[in-house]
């Protein structure tokens, strides 16, 4: 049995680098993330999942991720 879900979020990105005698370089961006995923019930303690996410913040990224959730109780 699969559980399908939606993802949405707002992002804030900030990065900085100290360039020594040349000063500092910084970058700040806001963005949004939209996507969805699915969890697959294999057993009570083992749940594989997969997600697809579109991130838009100063550029556009398509992120594919997956993994396994373990219930340790």
């Amino acid at each position: 049995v699969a559980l399908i879900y939606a993802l949405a979020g707002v992002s804030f990105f900030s990065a900085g680098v100290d360039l020594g005698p040349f000063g500092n370089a910084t970058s700040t961006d806001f963005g949004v993330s939209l996507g969805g995923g699915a969890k697959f019930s294999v057993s009570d303690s083992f749940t594989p999942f997969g997600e697809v996410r579109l991130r838009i913040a100063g550029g556009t990224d398509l992120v594919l991720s997956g993994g396994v959730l373990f219930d340790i109780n």
Side-chain angles (χ1 to χ4, degrees), residues 52-70:
V52 108
R53 187 174 310 178
L54 181 66
R55 295 188 312 188
I56 304 167
T60 304
D61 296 319
L62 181 65
V63 179
L64 303 173
S65 60
V68 177
L69 302 172
F70 294 97

Side-chain angles (χ1 to χ4, degrees), residues 4-70:
I4 307 294
Y5 56 90
L7 299 167
V10 178
S11 304
F12 172 75
F13 303 94
S14 181
V17 176
D18 180 1
L19 300 172
F22 301 104
N24 297 321
T26 61
S27 178
T28 302
D29 241 332
F30 290 93
V32 295
S33 295
L34 301 170
K39 290 186 201 178
F40 305 95
S41 295
V42 174
S43 73
D44 289 339
S45 61
F46 180 80
T47 307
F49 71 94
E51 293 180 347
V52 108
R53 187 174 310 178
L54 181 66
R55 295 188 312 188
I56 304 167
T60 304
D61 296 319
L62 181 65
V63 179
L64 303 173
S65 60
V68 177
L69 302 172
F70 294 97

